């Protein structure tokens, strides 16, 4: 039966996307969204900070404490851009631009950056060009020999396994050095986590599928067409993309002139116009139960209200949901995954002619250290002023903006600047602006076996007392990227119609 009232717990991107789509699909249902924080958007926090340039002009710089760039592969986000009319504020980075192509690694125990070869040709020529000698990359040799050998390695997936860690998977196919250097760095960049714990089937399902398509070889598998994506298209509701997918042709990453917060603001603006939607901020759910007599959910809140709803979407972190439900009706696996903490530090410097602070490129990542070196506190650093220079137009040439990601809180800013200088191989000046954001327990580490556990959770939600009327979604369930979260909100309540 179609819902007459829906409660949505959590007003991060997942909850807001759910409210947007559910209010369109069920215009007769009364929808109430509760968000514990005063500000909506969860980890999305885009703010501008005032800055005075060398010649005395006043301007502002955009600083992101959470997500900063999106990939155009998520159609659900492109759909929001179309439906919320956000194209005018889109900023895109073409795949062909140096800002997209140049990505670097800093290897613990060394100084400076190494360029990750961006194409087979650049692997072959990385040692030849005198211009690239400072960034001349031994990574090319590791990459080339791992990729060239992979198709000749026999099928080596252990019998009967349904999942393994990203590190185990990559070590099997490409060797342990490749897995440690490239795999751990990638996982640091996306999950701020250890690739030895992250589930490959959850985080990179296309790798697992390619291995099967290639009968053991990923390289062969990627050269064969994927049937899975064709099936997914058939089963999905068509996305309303307008001409946004045209705009995204050839785009590597994108954001908005006022940052990712634009998505949150636009969703809120739209939801506030919907007569069937009530948005409550600074109000948390404190309890959730299904009343068997009325067949309604009863949600107690921090404002001492009891909210009743025929259907509920939980878009709060899974450990928070565990705290809401009664031990008499437990849900499995809500605390199976730990959450990584990330300290994000925005740094803004005044540019000086002739003093280049970083190479043109997206930024760099720091892989897991080998046994001979100590682990680095810095996970990576984004060169915002080249990867999203247009956010500061027309003053972008006057400032250098970068964002460091650390696995632990910053003990001292001068020490951090020293560490960054060493990794960049350039002496950084004193920053003009520093903003430190200690994001505690912000990214779920989806451990090996996550898909299986989530299937078991869905089975329990189909049974009594929930009867499929409670949907559990969010970064800790279906994937952490903004695209995953928006897609999960879009799919919420599909079985309710
Ligand atoms: C530092 C950082 C950088 C990132 N960078 C990127 C990036 O560049 N690209 C990308 O695609 N992704 C990125 N991500 C991932 C992505 O931003 C998040 O996974 C996503 O925003 C999570 O959204 P969510 O709504 O599921 O959860 P959250 O953002 O955690 O929102 C949950 C909401 O629930 C509310 N809540 C909690 N408990 C209760 C309760 N009891 N009652 C009511 N409300 C409650 C909270 O107030 C919060 O607003 C990044 C994440 C972080 C932390």
């Amino acid at each position: 039966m179609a819902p007459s009232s829906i409660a949505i717990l959590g007003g991060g991107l997942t909850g807001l996307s759910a409210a947007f789509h559910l209010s369109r699909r069920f215009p007769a249902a009364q929808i109430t969204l509760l968000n514990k924080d005063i500000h909506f958007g969860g980890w999305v926090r885009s703010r501008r900070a005032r800055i005075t340039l060398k010649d005395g002009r006043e301007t502002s710089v955009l600083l992101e404490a959470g997500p900063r760039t999106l990939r155009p592969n998520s159609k659900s986000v492109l759909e929001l851009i179309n439906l919320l009319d956000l194209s005018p504020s889109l900023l895109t980075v073409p795949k062909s631009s140096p800002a997209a192509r140049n990505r670097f690694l800093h290897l613990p125990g060394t100084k400076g950056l190494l360029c990750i070869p961006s194409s087979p040709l650049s692997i072959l020529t990385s040692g030849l060009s005198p211009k690239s000698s400072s960034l001349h990359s031994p990574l090319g040799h590791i990459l080339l020999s791992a990729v060239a050998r992979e198709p000749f390695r026999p099928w080596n997936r252990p019998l009967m396994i349904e999942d393994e860690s990203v590190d185990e998977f990559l070590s099997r196919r490409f060797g342990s050095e490749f897995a440690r250097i490239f795999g751990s760095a990638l996982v640091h960049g996306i999950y701020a986590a250890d690739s030895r714990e992250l589930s490959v089937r959850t985080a990179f399902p296309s790798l697992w599928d390619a291995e099967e398509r290639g009968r053991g070889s990923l390289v062969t598998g990627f050269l064969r067409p994927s049937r899975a994506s064709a099936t997914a298209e058939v089963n999905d509701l068509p996305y309303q993309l307008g001409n946004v997918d045209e705009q995204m042709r050839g785009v590597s990453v994108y954001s908005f002139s006022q940052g990712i917060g634009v998505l949150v603001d636009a969703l809120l603006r739209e939801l506030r116009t919907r007569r069937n939607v009530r948005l409550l901020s600074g109000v948390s759910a404190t309890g959730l139960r299904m009343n068997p007599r009325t067949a309604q959910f009863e949600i107690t809140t921090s404002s001492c209200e009891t909210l009743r709803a025929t259907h509920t979407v939980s878009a709060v972190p899974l450990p928070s949901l565990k705290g809401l439900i009664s031990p008499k009706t437990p849900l499995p696996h809500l605390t199976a995954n730990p959450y990584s903490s990330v300290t994000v530090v925005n740094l803004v410097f005044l540019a000086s002619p002739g003093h280049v602070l970083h190479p043109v490129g997206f930024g760099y990542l720091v892989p897991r250290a080998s046994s001979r070196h100590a682990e680095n506190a810095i996970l990576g650093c984004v060169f915002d002023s080249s990867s999203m220079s247009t956010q500061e137009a027309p003053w972008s040439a006057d400032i250098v903006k970068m964002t460091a990601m650390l696995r632990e809180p910053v003990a001292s800013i001068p020490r951090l600047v020293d560490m960054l200088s060493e990794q960049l191989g350039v002496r950084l000046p004193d920053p003009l602006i520093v903003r430190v954001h200690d994001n505690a327990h912000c990214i779920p580490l989806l451990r090996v076996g996550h898909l299986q556990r989530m299937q078991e959770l869905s089975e329990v939600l189909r049974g009594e007392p929930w009867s499929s009327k409670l949907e559990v979604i969010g970064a800790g369930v279906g994937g952490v990227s903004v695209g995953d979260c928006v897609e999960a909100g879009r799919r919420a309540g599909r079985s309710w119609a």
Side-chain angles (χ1 to χ4, degrees), residues 8-16 34-45 65-71 189-190 260 280 283-286 315-317 320-321 324 339-340 342-344 405 439 441-444 473-476 479-485:
I8 299 175
L9 315 182
L13 273 174
T14 307
L16 292 173
L34 301 181
N35 192 48
K36 179 166 107 179
D37 299 330
I38 286 289
H39 91 269
F40 288 100
W43 292 110
V44 179
R45 272 161 301 149
R68 62 196 47 249
T69 47
L70 307 178
R71 291 190 163 277
I190 303 174
I260 305 294
L280 303 176
V283 179
S284 46
T286 52
V316 299
S320 306
L321 175 61
L324 302 183
Y339 279 63
S340 307
V342 191
T343 296
V344 172
M405 249 73 79
N439 297 332
H441 313 298
C442 59
I443 305 183
I473 58 174
V480 306
S481 76
V482 164
D484 293 331
C485 294

Side-chain angles (χ1 to χ4, degrees), residues 26-64:
F26 302 112
Q30 181 59 48
I31 297 178
T32 307
L33 182 147
L34 301 181
N35 192 48
K36 179 166 107 179
D37 299 330
I38 286 289
H39 91 269
F40 288 100
W43 292 110
V44 179
R45 272 161 301 149
S46 314
R47 306 267 185 281
R48 281 201 169 268
R50 302 293 310 161
I51 187 170
T52 309
L53 300 175
K54 275 193 183 128
D55 59 7
R57 280 172 306 175
E58 291 267 319
T59 182
S60 68
V61 282
L62 186 81
L63 305 176
E64 298 276 17

Side-chain angles (χ1 to χ4, degrees), residues 116-135:
I116 304 175
S118 57
S119 67
L121 189 65
S122 67
I123 296 180
L124 296 171
T125 57
S126 63
L128 304 179
S129 156
K131 259 179 97 184
S132 67
S133 57
S134 63
L135 300 170

